Amino acid sequence: MKTYIALLRGINVLGKNSLPMKELVALREGMGARSVRTYIQSGNVVFQSTEKHASPLATRLMDEIKERCGFSPQVLILGPDALERAIARNPFPEGEADPVSLHLGFLAATPRSRDLGKLDSLRKPSERFHLGDDVFYLHTPEGFGKSRLPASAEKLLGVPMTYRNWRTVCKVSAMASE
């Protein structure tokens, strides 16, 4: 059995695209996953599977959610090593002291066309970003919700992504290591 992490984008506790974590756990277990655990309502799932490749897991989970819930969130499946690498490569270690100001945007693919100049023109003087191989690091000391970068980065990088704050990344990584 391999350990995987599913990062779901665009699910909520209430309202549009509601998918409570209890239902997500039951759904994953019904699809054959074992040791399914979630962390907070934003769609972080750690599980074990006999599947050797992550891509079919993402597609099957999106299809199952669409069938049962009527919407299809973006699903990114990672191995524990991907989170460990993302943590180790954090270019803004000073942001770790305020873990909600440091966000990692996990990319669904490698960006082919990237307009980093336009991104740079949108950032506040206190903000910094770094594009890694498969992670877009974003440090927003004045607040993630007050920044123009999160909403623009996906479009300007040309690939889907899902953000997690530093605290969540570290917690999910620890869960995957258990």
Side-chain angles (χ1 to χ4, degrees), residues 98-116:
D98 182 13
V100 297
S101 74
L102 180 58
H103 285 76
L104 283 66
F106 291 93
L107 305 171
T110 301
R112 292 191 180 159
S113 63
R114 45 182 106 178
D115 193 344
L116 298 180

Side-chain angles (χ1 to χ4, degrees), residues 51-67:
E51 184 71 48
K52 291 183 179 9
H53 303 286
S55 184
L57 287 170
T59 302
R60 286 183 26 229
L61 183 53
M62 284 187 287
D63 291 346
E64 191 70 20
I65 293 170
K66 174 76 172 173
E67 184 177 312

